[in-house]
Amino acid sequence: SRRVLSGVQPTGALHLGNYLGALVKFTRLQNEMETFIFVADMHAITVWQDPKLLTSQVREIAAAYLASGLDPAKATIFPQSAVPEHAQLAWVFNCVARLGWLDRMTQFKDKAGKHKERESVGLYTYPVLQAADILVYKATHVPVGEDQRQHLELTRDIAAKFNHDFDVPGFFPLPEALTEGPGARIMSLRDGSAKMSKSDPSDNSRLNLMDDADAISQKIRKARTDPDPLPETLEELKDRPEALNLIGIYAALSERTAADVLAEFTGQGFGQSFKPMLADLAVARFGAISGEMRRLMSQPDEIDRILAAGAEKAREAAAPTLAEVKKIVGFWGS
Ligand code: TYM
């Protein structure tokens, strides 16, 4: 059977990369497969989170899911920490994964920087919890941005080693990362070689889902480009990362191919009509979403009801896997 699982961390404002790399795909996939989408609050605390803010940040991500089109009647939406089976399976996986595998994770290296001995142990084993998130539902399809590919490969390695070590062939599926399309790797508006990120100190580097029309237009107007006119083929853009990024964003927001968008603007500079039209596209899309997010955030009880119902459904789906795992491992009483 086919199952979708994915999640987003409640660690600050969502941006265009999160939206195009993840949220848009969730909304599409809920019509095709059984879908589980959670808020990764346990992943969030791998770096310090103010306890007074965490709950509202979780609600804000849930609001973003709903506002961007996730339907609780189709997709199961829940907070990670409300389903303890994730953490329980993660422990078993901590004993399956090898230190050498985690040592290779580039995201840890990027986040930890020079002083890795001062980071939490959780930040290091973070991808093991991610594998548990996915495999506790025996999910087969995981919509994520490009930056999560390595974590998905680790998930497959853990699944394969578990199946092999305990001699249970096929027990865990080897899940597939869904990273296709122009939205899978959105770059910074200020630097075409850095990905758009919540942690970039410059707010001008990203479009936030909650930005107002003025902010969006201004950020796009200021977005770094080059003075050359747009060429005919994408091939000719390969050494112009900022230009390529803007074309990709335009394509993703208008649900067209990058080649098609490029053809429309061939021979023009960015300032003429490309940037104003891109700003209009982004304002139209984000305006509708942020308006709905604000409405939902003013009704936290409604969000909490959806999360509670989702958590209950998620536990029903996760519990059988965990019961089987305990038996396979040989834990007492199982
Ligand atoms: P997080 O919260 O950093 O990001 C959420 C999603 O947004 C995608 N994304 C991007 N996509 C395109 N361009 C960008 N510039 C960009 N920046 C971020 C991410 O790839 C992600 O899909 N570890 C995950 C959360 C997680 C998870 C999971 C995901 C925990 N458990 C299980 C899938 C399955 C994370 O930190 O995402």
Side-chain angles (χ1 to χ4, degrees):
S1 71
R2 305 182 329 150
R3 248 187 198 176
V4 170
L5 175 123
S6 195
V8 173
Q9 292 193 71
T11 49
L14 290 179
H15 55 69
L16 179 70
N18 302 130
Y19 177 67
L20 293 174
L23 271 59
V24 169
K25 290 185 205 152
F26 303 168
T27 303
R28 182 160 38 81
L29 287 163
Q30 68 180 342
N31 299 314
E32 296 167 22
M33 296 179 222
E34 192 183 4
T35 297
F36 292 84
I37 303 294
F38 69 102
V39 185
D41 54 354
M42 286 161 63
H43 277 106
I45 66 163
T46 57
V47 298
W48 175 251
Q49 302 296 326
D50 184 343
K52 290 194 283 297
L53 300 179
L54 189 56
T55 295
S56 70
Q57 286 173 186
V58 168
R59 290 193 187 110
E60 185 170 333
I61 300 293
Y65 288 161
L66 297 166
S68 62
L70 267 191
D71 175 356
K74 293 180 186 164
T76 303
I77 304 169
F78 61 99
Q80 183 182 30
S81 62
V83 183
E85 284 79 3
H86 291 231
Q88 290 177 278
L89 184 59
W91 180 258
V92 175
F93 284 173
N94 270 324
C95 303
V96 172
R98 305 290 95 181
L99 277 174
W101 299 359
L102 288 183
D103 281 339
R104 284 196 289 274
M105 294 294 116
T106 56
Q107 195 162 79
F108 176 77
K109 290 182 201 165
D110 294 345
K111 284 196 181 170
K114 277 198 225 88
H115 297 290
K116 77 176 164 80
E117 64 282 0
R118 292 182 203 165
E119 298 299 338
S120 73
V121 175
L123 188 67
Y124 188 69
T125 65
Y126 176 120
V128 176
L129 177 58
Q130 183 161 350
D133 297 335
I134 297 166
L135 293 171
V136 82
Y137 303 99
K138 297 187 177 178
T140 51
H141 294 77
V142 185
V144 282
E146 282 283 349
D147 62 341
Q148 295 298 319
R149 273 205 159 268
Q150 196 183 34
H151 291 162
L152 261 292
E153 271 152 36
L154 182 89
T155 300
R156 295 163 66 94
D157 288 344
I158 290 173
K161 185 163 164 59
F162 182 97
N163 292 349
H164 174 266
D165 288 358
F166 293 100
D167 197 21
V168 284
F171 177 74
F172 283 120
L174 305 188
E176 209 184 302
L178 300 178
T179 56
E180 74 294 336
R185 190 169 167 76
I186 302 295
M187 309 309 282
S188 156
L189 298 178
R190 308 297 304 160
D191 175 359
S193 67
K195 73 169 184 185
M196 186 176 287
S197 148
K198 290 173 194 165
S199 55
D200 192 315
S202 164
D203 194 54
N204 281 329
S205 70
R206 60 185 163 259
L207 295 182
N208 301 309
L209 226 43
M210 297 292 271
D211 280 345
D212 62 23
D214 283 348
I216 293 173
S217 303
Q218 217 192 90
K219 287 176 180 179
I220 290 179
R221 191 156 11 91
K222 284 192 185 154
R224 191 164 150 195
T225 42
D226 54 51
D228 296 340
L230 281 155
E232 270 173 36
T233 64
L234 286 170
E235 178 60 18
E236 295 163 85
L237 278 183
K238 74 177 188 320
D239 298 321
R240 297 169 63 185
E242 285 86 10
L244 193 59
N245 187 40
L246 290 183
I247 296 286
I249 291 172
Y250 198 114
L253 282 176
S254 59
E255 283 157 36
R256 293 162 57 188
T257 66
D260 187 32
V261 171
L262 186 57
E264 184 181 334
F265 295 99
T266 296
Q268 300 185 22
F270 283 92
Q272 249 169 305
S273 55
F274 180 88
K275 279 186 170 181
M277 284 173 75
L278 178 58
D280 286 349
L281 263 178
V283 166
R285 186 74 77 89
F286 280 27
I289 293 173
S290 60
E292 176 64 3
M293 277 177 75
R294 266 187 214 98
R295 189 191 70 79
L296 288 162
M297 294 288 285
S298 71
Q299 296 169 339
D301 292 351
E302 187 183 330
I303 297 178
D304 286 350
R305 262 196 305 279
I306 290 168
L307 290 176
E312 199 174 315
K313 271 183 73 185
R315 287 204 74 175
E316 276 167 28
T321 308
L322 197 78
E324 287 175 292
V325 166
K326 286 166 112 175
K327 204 173 272 169
I328 289 167
V329 171
F331 282 160
W332 178 87
S334 55

